Amino acid sequence: MGSDAGDATPSLDEVRWRIDAIDGELLALLDERAGLARAVAAAKAAAGDTGFGLRPGREALIVRKLLSTPRTAAGDALVIRIWRELMSDSLARQGPYHLTVWGGRDPARAVELTRLRFGVAPPMRVVATDKEALAAARTPWGVGVLALAPDSAWWARLLAEPRLKIFAALPCLERWGPQAAFAVAEVEVEPTGGDQTFWVTDSPKAADAIVAALAVDGVAAELVAEAGGLKLFSLLGFYQAGDERLARAPGHLTGVIGAAPTPFDV
């Protein structure tokens, strides 16, 4: 808009001209990025790597780096939405990436949260039962998104399926509402430096007593859900399944069922 743009308010036509120019630049970069995604897929295929390309830990680190970059106008929600779309589109170009959603009592909210997290590139279907969503998460390149519902302890079934893990808590911004669903898949869950671990116990003790018992070992916990005599807790930090502190926690049937990055705006 000229070298004197900082000295005088630009005209509306000048602003629109600059927006149009930026749109063209963005489109060219988007097209180049999409082409690179195809190149990644080709390189993986040539190396014999046909496994699920989802890397939730790497994605979280990318988003955190972007959010830490100084900006003057673009808000966190805008940055997250754009890069989630870009990363999901890239992954969808690499294999048969697909989403299956069980929304409990509020399917519309679950669908909304799924698209906020995974974008519009991967195909999505909504199913009537949590069992169907978990079954879909076991399929190649499949992700199941399941709501937290008071009448379902679907998360407890993951104790018997160590390959299937919670890797994302939805939504990823507190301003988008309370934690309402989890994403599950056969993926490796890695620490990102700002995580919450999900741990199940069958202890009959009250949630406050379990939180207190964990606190003795330095573990900060919060009750997330309770159903069928089982309780699901979120533990602040990244914990391995064999952690001795969790082995000493109340309950006979216990275990870590996954981990996810903490909300980006905490």
Side-chain angles (χ1 to χ4, degrees), residues 102-106 128 130 147-155 157 225-228:
W102 174 73
R105 298 177 180 179
D106 193 356
D130 51 14
L148 286 170
D151 55 350
S152 173
W154 62 262
W155 31 268
R157 297 177 207 154
E226 184 173 3

Side-chain angles (χ1 to χ4, degrees), residues 115-205:
R115 285 307 188 196
L116 281 172
R117 172 60 178 79
F118 298 102
V120 299
M124 179 180 66
R125 68 187 182 104
V126 180
V127 293
T129 68
D130 51 14
K131 290 181 180 179
E132 291 175 274
L134 289 175
R138 299 185 196 101
T139 62
W141 290 71
V143 169
V145 175
L146 296 94
L148 286 170
D151 55 350
S152 173
W154 62 262
W155 31 268
R157 297 177 207 154
L158 303 186
L159 287 172
E161 299 191 55
R163 288 174 54 86
L164 205 57
K165 299 180 182 71
I166 291 173
F167 69 88
L170 283 58
C172 65
L173 286 180
E174 283 198 333
R175 73 190 70 172
W176 287 344
Q179 198 168 85
F182 291 124
V184 178
E186 291 189 349
V187 293
E188 290 300 318
V189 179
E190 300 172 327
T192 69
D195 304 285
Q196 54 182 327
T197 299
F198 300 104
W199 177 76
V200 176
T201 180
D202 65 349
S203 173
K205 292 184 177 181

